[in-house]
Each structure stands twice: as C-alpha cells, then as structure tokens.
Amino acid sequence: MKKENYAIRYRLMSVLMVMCMISSCGQYHSEFYHPDTIIRCPEDDLTGSELNCRVLNTFDGDISDMICFDGNIIFQIVDSTIFKVYDIATGEITASFADIGHAKNEFETAPKCLYKNNTDKNKLYAMEQNGLLTKVIDLNQSIQTGKCVVSDVLKHPNNACGMFYSTFYDDNGSIIFNKDVSYIDARDNTFDPPSHGIIKNSNTISSSVFPQSIHSKMLNNVFNAYANIMVVTPNKKYLANVFFHSDIINVYDVEDKEDIAILGGGVKDFAFFQTLNSMDDILNNISFFHFTACGNDKYLFALKTSMPYKTFDEMFKIGNFSEIHQKLLIYDWNKRTISEMRVNHNYPISKMVYEEQSGKLYAIDVKNQLVEFDVNLK
C-alpha cells in the first residue's frame, strides 16, 4: 500500500484566521487588510466545463514541491535524497540527486521553496529552510551525474533573511520577498502580520496590505492564520498569496507596487476569528477555499473548493472523497478570470505545476498520485 501524503493533511488542517469584510455598499471595512484594488468574483456554483484528468503514476514519500524542466518533472521529496527526476514521456524516474547534509552541494533539510528564472532555465534556485541562503543548482549536470551540482550560493541580505522569509532573486539582482507572520517573543502574545515587497539597489519597498499587529493568546491559530501558498512568476513581476481558509487571493504587482485582492464569497473578518476561543470553536467554524495554486508569466491557476473543515476531516479519516468538489480557476495577471472548470477527480490536489511545452497541468493528490490535466491554453 502506498504511503499517503500526510504533508498535505498537516497543511490543509492548519487553522486560519482571515482578515476582511465586505459591506453591503461594496466598500472594504477592515483594519487588518488594506488592498489597493478589489476585484470581486461571483459566488461559486461549480458550473462550467468539466476538466478531465488522467492518473499517470503513484509515488512513495511525501512530495513537498515540484517544478518542470525540459520535459521532466522534478519532485522534491522529504527523504534522504531530495530531488527525483520524472520523465513525462516514459513515466519513469530517470535520475535523483541532492542529499541531506551540511556540504555545499547538500541541504540541511528539504528546501523551503524552488523556483526558476527566465534567463537561464537550466538553473534551479533552492532556498534553505532557515531562510539564510539560496543555492543555485545546475540542472543538466545534476541530472547527468546523479550528484547535486551547485554553481552559486546566494546569501540573503539582513533585511530579507531568516526563518520567516521567502526570498526570490530576479535576473537583474533585485530581490522579491515574502515574510510570514513573525514575532520577537511568542509569550508576549503579539505578532507582526505578513508583508512582502522588493529590494532593489539596496532600497527596500514593503507593502502595508496587512497593517495591524495581531494580539492573541492562541499561538497556533495566529501562526496558521495567514496560511497560504505562494506563486511567484518566473519573470518576477507578480507575487500571489492564495489563502487556504479564506476566499482571498492577494496579488502583488512588483513593478507598480500595488496589492490587488481577488475576493470570492467566503471572506471573513478577523473579528470573527477573535470570537473563536478554543480549538473546538475553530474546527467547527472554518472552511477550506483553496487547496493549492501555481502559475507562469501568463496565468495564475488556483484550485478552489468550498468545504467545512469537519466535512473534510471526516472524509480523510475514512478515505472516501467521493463528495468532494474542486474547481480550477484560471486568471491572467490582469486579474481577469479566463476559465472556470470543474475538476473530475475524487481526491484533493495538494500540489500542481504547469508544463509549458505541452500546456498541461500536473498535480499530486493526497494519495500521492500524479495526475495530468489538459487545460487547453496553448
């Protein structure tokens, strides 16, 4: 029996306080979320065309990230060997590289995030979990030799460095950063909200879309409150935060320094979550709105759902997701909805990536199945 992907269960079952309220007049009234522009999406009814899928393979181990390269999918697996290369054409694992360790060509643990830039697509940027540095991997040499070949090590600047940061270098030496909820001493019950921005020519420009400090005695709730999956475009022009338990996608336009909110029907104000005084209150009142997301320079793909936490938990315990509903939303980076398609797959998707050559989405579900979707965007 194949091992289930418990990484996604841990992530999806994290609780989240969310940050905004819509009044009847259409204005935003929240001290916790100040986007520059608001785009409202209609209520989800899961109508539209059906997106069929094809299960290609099943894997052992928890796949924590995936990225496409030259007809291959590179899986990041929580294991002694971190990267495994899957040939899409043959359906076989053809290479593996990168060990756990402290050498230049090793990682202390699985990297925090993977990304590529447009100038040299042979380079894979892998950020260490501690947020102190990023290692640049030569993919061709690593695949050919079966050993991780690190061509450069980028030490993060002091103002975008540490465990709370995710740091992305563009082709011109600028840095786009995303900072998670942080704190000085958690016992003070005071937490700084997330932030993001750009460092260019030693100048830092930060977004103030989440302006207020958070005061709460429920540490775990606060830490998971803004839980989201990040999508950074290869050209580094956009950073999107797709929130798991709120019907919010925040898009940061790096060039215009603007935050755009894409709002669905499940938005909650932080004040609502302040009324939840116990874990039982939280688990009985939160829902899932997004399972995962990915993107390229043209499109943002977000996998939507609308499901109470308790329902999902019951499904997971018995292993029966026959009643699950998932919808793929495709936006362009002008924040227009290009397509909405019902996903014909009975297991929640935990990770997905868009393959440029074929124009197909490849995804991993909670059963560690590799699933192919033809989204017909080419």
Side-chain angles (χ1 to χ4, degrees):
M1 183 177 178
K2 298 296 182 181
K3 182 180 177 184
E4 290 186 355
N5 189 341
Y6 287 100
I8 180 60
R9 188 182 188 195
Y10 173 83
R11 186 180 70 181
L12 289 176
M13 291 182 181
S14 64
V15 291
L16 178 67
M17 64 184 175
V18 206
M19 347 25 142
C20 34
M21 179 185 297
I22 305 173
S23 72
S24 59
C25 64
Q27 298 298 313
Y28 223 74
H29 295 284
S30 174
E31 60 181 316
F32 295 98
Y33 185 44
H34 291 179
D36 299 300
T37 303
I38 297 170
I39 298 173
R40 302 181 188 277
C41 295
E43 293 287 339
D44 292 324
D45 57 8
L46 291 171
T47 59
S49 61
E50 186 171 276
L51 181 62
N52 291 315
C53 72
R54 184 165 67 105
V55 176
L56 302 180
N57 216 322
T58 304
F59 300 98
D60 290 319
D62 287 335
I63 296 173
S64 57
D65 209 345
M66 55 195 295
I67 195 165
C68 289
F69 171 69
D70 195 22
N72 300 296
I73 302 173
I74 299 175
F75 294 115
Q76 176 177 294
I77 298 180
V78 183
D79 200 349
S80 56
T81 302
I82 297 173
F83 299 116
K84 297 189 185 299
V85 181
Y86 177 84
D87 187 311
I88 296 174
T90 66
E92 300 290 337
I93 297 291
T94 57
S96 60
F97 59 91
D99 296 325
I100 298 295
H102 299 281
K104 177 183 177 180
N105 64 339
E106 297 175 330
F107 293 86
E108 294 184 7
T109 184
K112 186 174 184 179
C113 55
L114 305 176
Y115 64 95
K116 290 165 59 181
N117 289 347
N118 285 333
T119 299
D120 189 348
K121 295 187 178 181
N122 178 49
K123 291 181 178 179
L124 175 64
Y125 292 74
M127 177 183 162
E128 286 274 24
Q129 282 282 354
N130 58 22
L132 301 179
L133 54 87
T134 293
K135 294 183 177 181
V136 184
I137 299 171
D138 186 310
L139 284 176
N140 281 325
Q141 289 193 42
S142 297
I143 292 171
Q144 290 171 8
T145 63
K147 297 180 180 180
C148 186
V149 179
V150 174
S151 60
D152 200 1
V153 176
L154 306 174
K155 295 183 179 179
H156 300 171
N158 291 334
N159 51 350
C161 179
M163 60 182 285
F164 300 117
Y165 283 91
S166 297
T167 306
F168 305 87
Y169 288 79
D170 72 9
D171 290 325
N172 301 312
S174 298
I175 297 171
I176 293 90
F177 66 87
N178 188 85
K179 186 181 181 184
D180 297 328
V181 172
S182 59
Y183 58 89
I184 297 175
D185 187 339
R187 295 171 296 182
D188 293 337
N189 300 322
T190 300
F191 306 88
D192 290 329
S195 62
H196 46 255
I198 182 171
I199 302 172
K200 187 173 184 178
N201 299 325
S202 300
N203 297 318
T204 302
I205 300 173
S206 295
S207 164
S208 58
V209 68
F210 306 112
Q212 297 296 319
S213 294
I214 307 162
H215 303 278
S216 175
K217 294 181 179 180
M218 297 185 67
L219 172 61
N220 291 334
N221 186 27
V222 172
F223 237 138
N224 292 308
Y226 296 97
N228 66 87
I229 185 166
M230 275 185 307
V231 176
V232 179
T233 57
N235 60 18
K236 304 301 177 290
K237 291 185 177 181
Y238 298 97
L239 183 154
N241 298 102
V242 181
F243 292 89
F244 293 132
H245 301 276
S246 178
D247 214 346
I248 299 173
I249 298 174
N250 189 86
V251 176
Y252 178 61
D253 186 319
V254 175
E255 291 184 345
D256 293 340
K257 314 299 184 294
E258 180 184 21
D259 282 283
I260 301 98
I262 303 174
L263 305 181
V267 181
K268 297 285 186 180
D269 182 65
F270 173 67
F272 166 77
F273 289 85
Q274 289 284 59
T275 67
L276 307 178
N277 297 315
S278 68
M279 289 302 295
D280 285 342
D281 282 348
I282 294 167
L283 301 182
N284 287 328
N285 287 280
I286 66 171
S287 296
F288 294 118
F289 292 98
H290 301 101
F291 279 155
T292 189
C294 68
N296 65 355
D297 289 342
K298 292 183 179 180
Y299 304 109
L300 171 65
F301 305 90
L303 198 71
K304 285 290 299 290
T305 186
S306 182
M307 176 183 295
Y309 169 86
K310 287 189 68 175
T311 303
F312 179 87
D313 192 31
E314 290 167 1
M315 288 182 178
F316 203 101
K317 287 176 179 177
I318 64 176
N320 182 359
F321 292 96
S322 59
E323 299 301 318
I324 196 168
H325 299 289
Q326 300 177 96
K327 181 170 70 172
L328 181 68
L329 295 183
I330 305 175
Y331 304 92
D332 66 14
W333 290 107
N334 290 320
K335 281 65 70 181
R336 296 176 299 190
T337 304
I338 299 299
S339 183
E340 300 182 18
M341 292 175 278
R342 290 178 290 115
V343 176
N344 183 20
H345 189 62
N346 285 338
Y347 294 104
I349 299 297
S350 62
K351 207 74 183 175
M352 63 184 182
V353 65
Y354 182 68
E355 208 281 311
E356 300 279 354
Q357 295 179 16
S358 63
K360 294 180 180 179
L361 277 173
Y362 291 91
I364 293 291
D365 67 18
V366 295
K367 291 290 185 179
N368 276 337
Q369 297 181 121
L370 176 63
V371 184
E372 178 187 81
F373 299 100
D374 190 348
V375 294
N376 295 316
L377 291 176
K378 287 182 72 67

